[in-house]
Amino acid sequence: MVLDPGERKRQLRKKRPSVEPNPAEPGRKRRLVRDLVEHSHDLLCIHDLDGRFLSVNPVPARLLGYSVEEVLRTPMRDFIDPQFHDQFEAYLREVKSAGVARECWRCGRDRRAAHLEYHNTLRTKGIEKPMVRGIAHDVTDRVRAEKALRTSEQRLRLAQEVARMGNVRAQPADRREQLEPEMEALYGLAPGKFPRTVEAFLELVHAEDRPLVARLLEQSLQDSTVEGEWRVVWPTARCIGSGRWRFSRMRPEAL
């Protein structure tokens, strides 16, 4: 059967395989990038060197309590907690001179305020006026955890000062020690004067008690908890051999 030219063209169009859209096609690629930016929870922005936003994605703006329109018409400085205003001015100078800057500021409105960690870079090529490309990640949980840890450490240090207690951590690999400041006071040493070695620690112990303390240290490094009492020779009285008693509990900790 011979088909007329019109019918032949219709048959060829029907048999033509379907072509999947190419993600690399310029128009489609721009749409994908726009979709990524608009739905990102990280703050993606562009601002000028006068400290004004030129563009910002909507999700983080909304999470911080603002509309995109409000962000674009308000100076960046006004979104930052006043305690960081001096740092913001320094940031503008740094990104202008170095071309890159990292900062962490508390930004946002009322209870929606969050600590944002920025990593921004300057663009100067191919444009009339320099602009800064910015990305900021919400690190509020990390900042709160660090603050809680500092508070806990301060309370522990206060309790140790009141109870006249202290901590010492020995590293078996290099036989070095880390002392809390209270430990130096308990051993009659000025701040920073402890040499931070196991051998130096044993020098502070009464000569008759050193074998006991050395044995307890070795046992504690063998995955066992040990307790003991020994005499410490006070620096001002070492020439006459008098000492003060100390009680200690030692146990291994996984790092």
Side-chain angles (χ1 to χ4, degrees):
M1 180 177 65
V2 179
L3 299 176
D4 64 76
E7 182 67 21
R8 184 178 179 86
K9 289 180 180 179
R10 284 193 292 273
Q11 292 287 343
L12 289 174
R13 283 198 295 269
K14 290 180 181 179
K15 294 180 180 180
R16 185 177 298 168
S18 59
V19 178
E20 293 293 330
N22 182 4
E25 182 184 348
R28 180 174 174 80
K29 189 174 182 179
R30 284 194 294 270
R31 290 194 296 272
L32 291 173
V33 172
R34 186 182 302 113
D35 183 72
L36 175 64
V37 171
E38 289 181 351
H39 291 85
S40 173
H41 281 232
D42 281 345
L43 177 65
L44 306 174
C45 67
I46 295 174
H47 70 79
D48 60 22
L49 290 177
D50 294 323
R52 299 193 71 93
F53 284 110
L54 303 177
S55 69
V56 64
N57 55 330
V59 175
R62 185 171 65 251
L63 293 176
L64 292 173
Y66 305 97
S67 66
V68 171
E69 293 74 18
E70 188 175 6
V71 171
L72 295 180
R73 66 171 181 261
T74 306
M76 293 175 63
R77 191 173 185 268
D78 292 353
F79 296 105
I80 301 174
D81 190 298
Q83 64 177 309
F84 299 107
H85 281 178
D86 290 342
Q87 294 182 24
F88 178 70
E89 300 301 330
Y91 153 76
L92 288 178
R93 292 192 297 269
E94 180 180 1
V95 76
K96 183 177 181 179
S97 61
V100 62
R102 301 179 71 107
E103 286 292 347
C104 184
W105 299 313
R106 188 173 184 270
C107 308
R109 175 177 286 164
D110 302 327
R111 288 179 296 178
R112 297 188 183 185
H115 288 269
L116 299 180
E117 186 173 65
Y118 291 82
H119 185 188
N120 299 354
T121 56
L122 180 67
R123 178 184 175 187
T124 56
K125 295 182 179 179
I127 53 178
E128 293 183 3
K129 294 182 63 176
M131 66 179 187
V132 179
R133 299 160 293 202
I135 180 170
H137 182 65
D138 186 345
V139 294
T140 305
D141 290 342
R142 189 192 75 191
V143 171
R144 288 175 178 170
E146 292 173 349
K147 182 179 180 180
L149 178 60
R150 288 195 299 270
T151 301
S152 177
E153 291 176 344
Q154 290 169 358
R155 289 175 177 172
L156 174 60
R157 185 167 293 113
L158 176 61
Q160 290 177 334
E161 290 176 357
V162 173
R164 295 189 59 80
M165 298 172 60
N167 293 332
V168 57
R169 296 179 181 177
Q171 300 288 345
D174 55 10
R175 297 183 66 81
R176 293 181 65 83
E177 294 188 343
Q178 298 176 354
L179 271 73
E180 298 292 341
E182 295 78 15
M183 286 296 292
E184 293 175 326
L186 289 177
Y187 281 81
L189 301 170
K193 295 300 183 180
F194 199 92
R196 302 298 198 273
T197 65
V198 173
E199 289 76 10
F201 173 75
L202 291 175
E203 289 294 323
L204 299 176
V205 178
H206 194 286
E208 295 178 1
D209 297 334
R210 285 176 196 164
L212 167 65
V213 176
R215 184 169 68 254
L216 292 175
L217 286 171
E218 290 299 327
Q219 290 177 1
S220 68
L221 297 177
Q222 300 301 320
D223 198 26
S224 61
T225 300
V226 297
E227 296 180 355
E229 293 184 0
W230 55 80
R231 287 166 290 178
V232 174
V233 181
W234 212 247
T236 55
R238 282 177 189 162
C239 58
I240 58 176
S242 62
R244 304 188 183 190
W245 285 92
R246 293 289 178 261
F247 171 81
S248 179
R249 176 181 293 111
M250 295 175 280
R251 62 182 176 86
E253 288 185 355
L255 298 179

